[in-house]
Structure formats: structure tokens, C-alpha cells
Amino acid sequence: MSVRVRVARDDVLLVEVADLAAATALHRSLSSAPVPGVGQPVPGARTVLVPFDPRVLPATTLADELRARAEVPSSGTEQPGRLVEVPTVYDGADLDGVAAHHGWSVAEVVRRHTGARWTVGFVGFAPGFGYLVGDDPGLVVPRRASPRTRVPAGAVALAGPYSGVYPRESPGGWQIVGRTAVVTWDERRDPPALWVPGDRVRFVAVRESVRGVSAPFGTSGSVRQSGLPNGAGSAERGALEVLDPGVQTLVQDLGRPGRADLGVATSGAADPRSLRAANRAVGNPVDAAALETLGGLRLRAHGPVVVAVTGAPTPLSTVPDGGGPARPHRLGQAFALADGDELSIGTPTRGLRSYLALRGGLDVPAVLGSRATDVLAGLGPDPVRAGTLLPAGPPPSAAVALTTTGAPDPATLPAPGDVATLPLVLGPRDDWFTPEALRLLTEQEWEVTARSNRVGLRLAGAAPLDRRSAVAHAELPSEGCVTGALQVPPDGQPVLFLSDHPLTGGYPVVAAVPTADLWVAGQMPPGARLRFRVT
């Protein structure tokens, strides 16, 4: 096929090439000879997702450069990656089903799986999850009709032409054929991922009695920071103790960009505008770690501290140490807490997420250069709990701000039942959908359901978005996805990806919310409704 360049967002292009080898070659070209203004590319099965800065590089100029690079034939001189052996116990729950699907014996499945030569094509879905491509064209199986809600870490599985090892416990729809004690992701290692694209993999059948294999396998890769009194800095500069964690209170900053080669998405605050504004209010750098909460949070000051709360409007009040009348505070303005004061952050009346910044930032351990909590990948600190101590970092040199700049106007945030309008950039897979579906996308309202979370807003519309008949039952090879992508599963009800979305996905993306409007999606509460307009 010829090279096609598709729009994936206002600042991201998707290059579609003939096959995995061509995608790997283009990814290698962009990594070895970067284009100014281009971020880290994300390879897929036959695509490369390319983020860029439109202020530095026009999309049309970049598209021409990408086509030119993609059309250069591979030299064929690339050195093979290193060999990784994976001892595997073949006793998976789907092993018999895979054998029956092919009309083979279980022994034949094991023989072919261990006899195939596997190569890491790309990394996605979760940190350290390698999509392994084999040289046995017969060893292809469909995904499960109904994904499991829990696949254990270390599960060895098949789906389509790929094999893989689940790095941590997670949902999954691949066919499980075995398990291994090999740890594919451990952030304490350098590098944390067991493999990178181009590495070769060989599965080795072992018995249960082989040392180590019967032990708990896999890892979440987490040097977890739950209950942060344990080594998260000191409270000499002041700290906040969690008395009541409220609802989904997490440590967040602006995320960990530039880790796509490890299968790590950026993550970070769902409403980065509000996080930046809270940090500005207390004089912090805008990327300092803060708390993101859905409300109901109660904290006690250890020593004198300065804080500010932005984002979703919520009642704020302080009860002095020793009791007395509660003091109210204004959203977006810094205020001081004395030692022992108790701060309460109520439930938002509009929007969804509030952000609390502590002068000096939250001094918790960083993981891969960030203190953000990625709930899908299991990276960063655990959600805070009662008893967690959050020390302040070194005091910044900047002064406390008298006014908050950059935060959204709380009065404009949607409440349940309100309708908000978001712009969309069509692509990269809008051609998978019928003209009627594209009309419905913008003409009907979409309700934000209660199943929404930091991974994405699960939307419900009166009519689903139908695919064209030519691709009605097609399976899209996995490709990179952006924050703000509107992915459409087979039921036709879209999911709008938020901060903790998977790095790659296998459902078509019909459109994406432009970067400047992503903060609105992060503030959409369940029960609110969305309308889309195509820009």
C-alpha cells in the first residue's frame, strides 16, 4: 500500500504504512534523526503516531517529511535485537480452546509457540507490554469474545498474530496459554522494561517444579508509595496529613512525557489548567506535584503551610487546632494553615476535579521522572488514604500570587444535567464510519455515564455510531492513541480517552478533542451531556 498520513489530533499525525517492518523502519528513522518540533513517536502494528508542535512545524510540512522517510526502503542492515528467553508453564485457561480452534493437540500448540521466533514489534497497552510478532503464520487466534476483568501478572497470551506477557494484573481479552515468572516491567530496574522493539524472544516450556516458576509471577513494577510517612521526604518544612481521603484523591503533576518506547503514557492531571493555576497561586513551578480530588477530602496541617485550591468549585473551610468556628476560604486564592488546623474540601457543585497545591510541592518519590499517579499503568503513588503524610518540598523563591491566572472560570464548568460543547478534529479512522454515524456524532447529545474514570469518559447516545459495511466486522491492528481520542468499540458508544488511557488501542478512533480543550473533558461529571462540533 502507499503511505498515508492521517490527522489524529490538531497536533498529532498518524502515518499508515504497509506492515510492521515499515512502521519499525519509520520509527527508527524518527528516533535516530529527529525532526525539529516532533515529539516521541509511538509505533503500532503498521502505523506510527507522530506528535508535533504546530508553532514550530506546520502539519503539511511534517506530512511531506513523513511520507519521504516512509518511502525510503529499509537498508536491511539493521542489527537484530538481543535475545530474551521466557521460561513458561503451559497451563493457561485458554490453552484447550486455542488447540480446538486450530484442530491441534495441546502439545502441538506448545510446540509451535516455543518453536516460533518472536520479535518485539512495539510496546503498548501497559508499561512493558510487548506485542511479539512470530514467524509462524498458522499461530493466529482471535481475541476472546468477552474480555476478562482480571488477567494475572505474568500471563502468557495470544491474540491475532501476536503473543505477549501481561506485566501486571489487568483486564484483558487475549487468550491465556501459560504463565511465567519473568518480570517484564520493574521501575526499579534500569531500564525498567524487559525488552524494546526489535528484541528477539524465545519461549521455553518448563515444568511447574522448575525453581521460581511456581512462585508469584510478574510485577506491578511498583515501589508503591502508599502511606507516605515511609520515606517520602521529611516534614521539617511542613506537611499535610490525610484524615479522610475523600473520593479518588491522587497525587498528580503534568505527567511523564517521552516514555512511549517503554509503553508508558504521559498521564498527569486530568485538568492541567487548574493544576498549573493552583501551583502559581502558592508560588510553585507549574509542574509541581499537587493533589487531585473529587471531593470529601479532609487534611491536617503539620507545621505552618500555605495552600491553594482551584478547579471544580467546592466548599473550603478550616477548623483551627483546638476547635472553634470554621473559617471559609475562596477558591483560587492562597491561604495559610497553622500547625494543627484541619482543612475540609467538600463535594464540587460544578465540574468534577479540584486541585490542592502545597507551597513547596508534595515531596513524594518520583517514578520515571514524575510524581503523577497513572491508575491504568499502576505507576506513581497509590491513592492517598487516612494516615498518609504529604511533606512539603523546598520553598520556592516565587511569591504567593494575589490572583489566580489560567484557571477555568468555575461558573463555566458543567454540572450534572448541563450540556457542554467540545470541538473535534475528525480522524484518523472516520472513514470506518457511515455518513449517518458522522452526522449523529455531532447532532445528538452524549451523556457522561457513571462508568467514566481517568482512563476515559464512557458516553451513551440514543443511537450508536455504525461502521461502514466493508469494515463492520474488521479488527483494527493496534495503533497509538492520543488523549482526547474518541474511540468507538463495537457497540457504537464512544469512549473519550483521558489522561490514563492506554498508549495503543485496537478500536477505531473517529475523532479527537483538540489539545487546548482537553481540560474540559477532565471536568465532565457523570450525568452531564456533551455535544460535539467538527472544526
Side-chain angles (χ1 to χ4, degrees):
M1 63 174 288
S2 60
V3 176
R4 295 188 64 181
V5 180
R6 299 170 177 262
V7 174
R9 201 174 62 191
D10 58 316
D11 56 354
V12 184
L13 299 179
L14 183 77
V15 187
E16 188 175 24
V17 292
D19 50 29
L20 177 61
T24 302
L26 177 58
H27 179 257
R28 186 183 297 114
S29 169
L30 292 170
S31 300
S32 60
V35 179
V38 169
Q40 187 178 51
V42 180
R46 59 184 187 212
T47 59
V48 180
L49 192 74
V50 184
F52 67 100
D53 187 343
R55 298 168 299 181
V56 176
L57 185 65
T60 52
T61 303
L62 175 58
D64 290 341
E65 174 68 16
L66 294 172
R67 288 189 192 95
R69 292 196 182 206
E71 290 168 354
V72 174
S74 173
S75 65
T77 60
E78 293 82 8
Q79 294 297 314
R82 61 193 181 89
L83 176 64
V84 179
E85 291 194 345
V86 181
T88 302
V89 176
Y90 285 91
D91 60 357
D94 300 316
L95 184 58
D96 290 339
V98 170
H101 174 77
H102 287 290
W104 300 339
S105 66
V106 166
E108 178 67 4
V109 175
V110 175
R111 185 189 71 79
R112 296 181 76 145
H113 192 252
T114 56
R117 292 178 294 180
W118 299 93
T119 303
V120 182
F122 55 100
V123 181
F125 174 66
F129 189 96
Y131 286 76
L132 312 181
V133 182
D135 62 352
D136 183 345
L139 198 57
V140 176
V141 298
R143 287 177 170 85
R144 289 174 54 85
S146 177
R148 288 183 170 88
T149 58
R150 177 187 175 275
V151 176
V156 176
L158 295 165
Y162 305 113
S163 190
V165 179
Y166 280 78
R168 64 189 298 265
E169 182 181 307
S170 65
W174 289 32
Q175 307 280 359
I176 301 173
V177 296
R179 55 192 169 91
T180 181
V182 168
V183 177
T184 62
W185 174 265
D186 186 343
E187 64 211 31
R188 294 166 294 189
R189 292 189 308 214
D190 185 17
L194 178 66
W195 40 43
V196 296
D199 283 349
R200 296 167 295 141
V201 179
R202 185 165 72 93
F203 291 93
V204 180
V206 296
R207 296 183 180 275
E208 181 76 23
S209 60
V210 172
R211 182 183 178 188
V213 177
S214 60
F217 46 86
T219 180
S220 66
S222 49
V223 187
R224 306 300 281 171
Q225 292 92 35
S226 57
L228 290 169
N230 29 335
S234 74
E236 294 177 358
R237 292 181 290 264
L240 295 173
E241 178 190 356
V242 178
L243 302 179
D244 185 333
V247 181
Q248 201 180 77
T249 300
L250 307 169
V251 177
Q252 292 295 347
D253 56 19
L254 295 181
R256 45 182 68 83
R259 305 286 182 171
D261 56 329
L262 301 176
V264 176
T266 299
S267 186
D271 176 4
R273 285 185 60 180
S274 292
L275 180 134
R276 292 187 181 99
N279 276 318
R280 289 191 191 101
V282 296
N284 288 342
V286 294
D287 59 351
L291 287 179
E292 176 185 274
T293 182
L294 273 59
L297 177 64
R298 196 159 57 90
L299 305 163
R300 177 186 290 127
H302 284 240
V305 296
V306 175
V307 299
V309 178
T310 59
T314 178
L316 301 174
S317 61
T318 299
V319 174
D321 184 25
R327 303 191 306 267
H329 302 286
R330 293 187 62 182
L331 193 75
Q333 290 191 352
F335 54 93
L337 299 177
D339 182 48
D341 284 359
E342 293 186 9
L343 169 65
S344 294
I345 300 177
T347 302
T349 54
R350 310 186 68 84
L352 185 62
R353 294 177 169 90
S354 302
Y355 291 84
L356 180 143
L358 171 66
R359 183 168 172 83
L362 301 180
D363 187 16
V364 302
V367 176
L368 297 178
S370 168
R371 295 172 170 87
T373 299
D374 185 331
V375 297
L376 180 68
L379 291 176
D382 278 340
V384 302
R385 61 191 184 192
T388 296
L389 190 70
L390 300 164
S397 57
V400 172
L402 296 178
T403 59
T404 303
T405 58
D409 180 356
T412 65
L413 296 179
D418 287 355
V419 179
T421 300
L422 279 176
L424 285 180
V425 177
L426 285 180
R429 299 296 173 186
D430 52 307
D431 56 351
W432 277 51
F433 296 90
T434 65
E436 173 67 7
L438 297 180
R439 183 185 68 79
L440 285 171
L441 177 63
T442 57
E443 290 189 3
Q444 72 178 359
E445 292 180 359
W446 299 91
E447 182 178 358
V448 178
T449 72
R451 296 190 300 144
S452 302
N453 53 29
R454 279 180 52 86
V455 175
L457 299 181
R458 293 182 177 270
L459 307 179
L465 302 182
D466 292 329
R467 297 184 185 183
R468 294 179 181 271
S469 57
V471 291
H473 303 290
E475 190 165 306
L476 180 70
S478 292
E479 60 189 26
C481 295
V482 299
T483 304
L486 203 63
Q487 190 185 68
V488 185
D491 65 3
Q493 301 292 345
V495 179
L496 201 167
F497 278 164
L498 296 184
S499 301
D500 291 353
H501 68 86
L503 195 65
T504 59
Y507 295 137
V509 171
V510 64
V513 176
T515 309
D517 298 278
L518 290 175
W519 66 270
V520 180
Q523 289 288 7
M524 292 294 296
R529 306 179 75 83
L530 275 171
R531 274 191 174 274
F532 295 114
R533 58 178 175 83
V534 173
T535 62

